[in-house]
Amino acid sequence: MKIAKSLIWLIAFAALQLNGQEAKSQPSLAGIWLMGQSLCDGSESLPIVTKGDTGWGNFAFLRGVRTWLPNDHSSTPEARSAEQFQWVPLHATTNGGLGETVANGLADHLKDLLKRTSSAGQSSHYLVACAGQGGRQIQELSSKDLSQDPRTPASRQHGGGYYRTSLDDARRAKDQATARGMKFEIAALYWMQGEGNGGPTSGIVPTRWDPELPRPIGLEWYRDELIAYHQKWSADLTAITGQTAELPMFTYQTLGPAGEAQLMAADADPALYMVGPHYAVPSALNSRTPQGRHGDAIHLSADGERWWGEQVGKVIHRVLHRDEKWQPLRPLQARLEDSRDALVIDFHVPRPPLVLDTEFLPRQEITTDGGFSSLAGFQVRDASGVLVTLTRIEVVNATRVRIVFSHRLPISQACSVSYGHPFAATLGKIAKIRPGPPIDGQPAIELHLESSFAKQLKPLIDEGAFFLTSISGKTARAPIRQVLEEEGITVLRCEERELRDGTPFAVGQSVVAQRPFSYGNLRDSDDERSTYTFGDTTYGTRFGKPYPLWNWCVLFSHHLVAAPPPQ
């Protein structure tokens, strides 16, 4: 039945492409080729929200968007069954713990934009293929294929063949197109990897057996590896498709040190574009696996995948079809004011003005005596690495932010500024702990705070599950899945099984609310309209609302602040 349906779609597709065109005009299909690790293959992004044909006319292979499969010629992709490469309408599928990917958000938003802006959108169709796997390092996904190296731990020697699979996918697509009198080209590459190369001390680990590279050297190593990957991947794919121009590659900003290296690579490679950070989308803490468990915080929910895919599609459209010199929201320069009790940062803003948003995302803060050690995502450190106490942050104009200190820095003191922290709000102390009613059949615990924090927690509740973390006593942490108010007191409920390492909270502990991802509150005012809306009804309060396609500021660390000129 699936093959029959795919053939019907192919006939309709060919008719659509040929309608109104002269015989000499060859119909075409554009590929979007994906590569990466867990966020790329949709790890724990369940249950899916794109359950069937969306009607946008985009395609996947019959075997699915995920073309690399662990038990189906993983290292010999040329031997895969030809039947599996028929084209079918693009939609999400599940494969064990794998679910929604960015594919529909990306391709369908791109198609939507083309239909809004030109008649070409009526006949533009995309084929999306992803050949990666979760947990992989960059050289394991490359032509080097270190998955097969005997020095690789036994638990990671399985698999391999990711890069070869991606190339073979292109051959299959071209052969299918040629057989139907169509032209196939790859429009864009999308890269979604980096976490696998992060080291334990914020450096970069090149391989599973090499020592960690210190951060500055490690960032340069990953930058150069990513640029080289882009150039070879593009050259190898265009040799198959017959294209002459280098293929543009797009990347997200991963968490950890590789995220900054990705931005460095985008600065050095004119055909490599950083879309931006993904920290605003909901994590897989909100997912539900077939085994009845929730996902890991480092992964994305199904809505998170589709939403982020729309962000990528938006940027691909602006680069490919609007010739925009795309840059994410990022700092350009920072300088101390003459008074030395504040600094200003100028930003590149894709769609001004800047906004410090504490309604969609919770106000990021860490309180300290006399102010904050982190506020709206920003931290300032002096030359010795000591945090400078902040009192407020304000948007000065469409592209500038001002950060005010609690005291002046000495004349001889330099400083740097960073952006991104997971702590959302200080919630005081736990006043009482008692068993709570079960959550989805699981034993639950109720943590009573000393007062109401409804206002501070509202953005977190809107988003879905969030962490509660102790900052005094023995470290405890658990995802909070239900929040209620009882006689002016906030009560937090968590599943007993989700206490980290089984460590319980204790009465009297000071606690903070925490998002799964490091983040900040700075965004632009991009008014791009989403194609989809939130589709999961089981968490948060956003079901049916459009995905906001604002651009959030990239995460950065130790950005040097220029001193004011001598008086």
Side-chain angles (χ1 to χ4, degrees):
M1 291 297 294
K2 287 185 177 179
I3 296 176
K5 185 177 181 181
S6 69
L7 291 175
I8 292 171
W9 264 85
L10 285 171
I11 293 170
F13 172 63
L16 175 64
Q17 288 284 55
L18 292 170
N19 184 35
Q21 298 183 24
E22 297 180 4
K24 66 179 182 179
S25 178
Q26 187 181 30
S28 64
L29 183 71
I32 301 177
W33 255 224
L34 280 53
M35 182 64 79
Q37 52 181 114
S38 59
L39 300 194
C40 196
D41 72 7
S43 292
E44 299 185 317
S45 301
L46 297 163
I48 60 175
V49 289
T50 313
K51 301 176 182 179
D53 178 11
T54 64
W56 284 106
N58 295 315
F59 294 91
F61 293 122
L62 178 60
R63 71 188 283 111
V65 170
R66 289 178 289 268
T67 58
W68 183 94
L69 299 174
N71 299 311
D72 185 5
H73 300 93
S74 59
S75 59
T76 56
E78 300 84 0
R80 295 175 295 175
S81 168
E83 179 185 82
Q84 293 292 308
F85 290 88
Q86 298 292 323
W87 300 335
V88 298
L90 178 63
H91 65 284
T93 59
T94 60
N95 185 353
L98 306 180
E100 191 90 22
T101 69
V102 298
N104 274 97
L106 194 168
D108 293 350
H109 188 78
L110 193 52
K111 178 70 178 293
D112 187 8
L113 285 172
L114 285 173
K115 289 187 70 174
R116 294 182 211 171
T117 57
S118 72
S119 58
Q122 302 295 328
S123 59
S124 297
H125 299 267
Y126 296 96
L127 172 68
V128 186
C130 172
Q133 187 195 27
R136 292 297 170 181
Q137 296 182 333
I138 186 170
Q139 289 187 338
E140 292 174 341
L141 296 173
S142 75
S143 59
K144 297 176 183 178
D145 196 6
L146 295 187
S147 296
Q148 303 299 323
D149 193 293
R151 293 171 292 179
T152 298
S155 63
R156 286 295 178 180
Q157 284 186 9
H158 66 286
Y162 312 104
Y163 190 82
R164 287 176 62 187
T165 296
S166 180
L167 301 189
D168 190 60
D169 291 342
R171 295 187 190 97
R172 307 280 189 148
K174 184 180 180 183
D175 289 346
Q176 291 275 350
T178 300
R180 292 166 176 79
M182 298 167 57
K183 180 180 180 181
F184 172 76
E185 292 186 341
I186 293 177
L189 309 174
Y190 179 53
W191 178 257
M192 210 168 185
Q193 187 276 342
E195 300 94 336
N197 288 97
T201 63
S202 297
I204 292 289
V205 179
T207 69
R208 298 188 188 277
W209 54 84
D210 285 327
E212 181 179 5
L213 297 175
R215 189 179 182 91
I217 298 174
L219 295 184
E220 293 177 357
W221 180 90
Y222 189 91
R223 173 201 63 194
D224 295 344
E225 283 291 318
L226 185 56
I227 292 172
Y229 194 115
H230 171 216
Q231 292 173 346
K232 180 166 178 54
W233 197 19
S234 173
D236 289 347
L237 287 171
T238 54
I240 295 168
T241 64
Q243 294 167 256
T244 56
E246 184 176 27
L247 301 178
M249 186 164 86
F250 299 80
T251 181
Y252 73 139
Q253 185 188 42
T254 184
L255 300 173
E260 293 192 40
Q262 290 166 332
L263 189 58
M264 292 164 59
D267 287 340
D269 183 341
L272 201 165
Y273 302 89
M274 162 77 71
V275 173
H278 70 277
Y279 57 68
V281 310
S283 86
L285 276 182
N286 302 290
S287 294
R288 298 169 310 288
T289 69
Q291 294 75 32
R293 302 192 69 86
H294 298 286
D296 194 292
I298 65 172
H299 298 143
L300 304 183
S301 70
D303 267 313
E305 288 277 348
R306 189 167 68 178
W307 175 7
W308 181 249
E310 291 211 43
Q311 286 279 23
V312 179
K314 175 189 77 176
V315 173
I316 289 177
H317 173 72
R318 290 178 182 177
V319 171
L320 298 188
H321 305 131
R322 289 175 147 183
D323 198 28
E324 185 170 326
K325 306 303 180 185
W326 175 264
Q327 287 280 327
L329 201 167
R330 60 184 298 187
L332 298 176
Q333 59 182 358
R335 62 175 178 81
L336 280 172
E337 293 186 342
D338 292 345
S339 61
R340 300 186 67 86
D341 61 359
L343 65 83
V344 292
I345 310 175
D346 292 305
F347 290 87
H348 169 80
V349 186
R351 297 294 185 272
L354 286 171
V355 176
L356 280 171
D357 190 330
T358 56
E359 294 184 4
F360 188 81
L361 294 183
R363 178 167 119 141
Q364 191 285 314
E365 64 178 38
I366 305 175
T367 58
T368 190
D369 291 341
F372 305 89
S373 60
S374 180
L375 185 58
F378 292 94
Q379 291 185 322
V380 178
R381 295 181 183 272
D382 64 21
S384 60
V386 175
L387 286 166
V388 176
T389 300
L390 314 178
T391 59
R392 69 180 186 276
I393 295 178
E394 56 197 18
V395 173
V396 177
N397 58 36
T399 60
R400 177 176 293 178
V401 165
R402 183 170 183 259
I403 303 175
V404 182
F405 313 152
S406 65
H407 62 277
R408 294 182 180 180
L409 287 182
I411 294 295
S412 60
Q413 188 68 269
C415 67
S416 64
V417 59
S418 302
Y419 177 84
H421 200 283
F423 283 4
T426 303
L427 301 179
K429 296 181 179 180
I430 298 174
K432 183 169 62 175
I433 300 176
R434 70 183 184 193
I439 302 175
D440 296 330
Q442 294 295 324
I445 301 167
E446 285 189 350
L447 306 167
H448 293 238
L449 303 180
E450 295 179 323
S451 60
S452 174
F453 291 89
K455 181 178 180 181
Q456 295 93 320
L457 293 176
K458 184 181 183 306
L460 287 166
I461 295 168
D462 290 343
E463 181 176 7
F466 61 92
F467 283 119
L468 185 74
T469 303
S470 64
I471 54 174
S472 67
K474 196 170 184 179
T475 302
R477 189 174 82 165
I480 299 301
R481 301 203 173 275
Q482 294 180 1
V483 180
L484 60 154
E485 296 288 313
E486 289 187 1
E487 299 178 351
I489 299 296
T490 295
V491 180
L492 308 175
R493 286 179 182 162
C494 63
E495 295 181 14
E496 186 175 335
R497 64 175 176 170
E498 292 192 297
L499 291 169
R500 189 176 67 173
D501 300 327
T503 302
F505 289 95
V507 172
Q509 278 185 314
S510 297
V511 291
V512 297
Q514 179 180 339
R515 291 189 75 240
F517 309 129
S518 291
Y519 77 105
N521 296 108
L522 190 65
R523 65 165 174 85
D524 73 352
S525 299
D526 201 325
D527 62 358
E528 182 81 58
R529 186 176 78 243
S530 69
T531 300
Y532 289 105
T533 61
F534 287 93
D536 195 324
T537 63
T538 61
Y539 66 89
T541 65
R542 295 173 178 165
F543 174 73
K545 296 180 181 179
Y547 298 141
L549 299 183
W550 303 310
N551 303 296
W552 296 85
C553 183
V554 299
L555 305 171
F556 60 89
S557 62
H558 306 296
H559 188 99
L560 294 179
V561 179
Q567 299 296 316

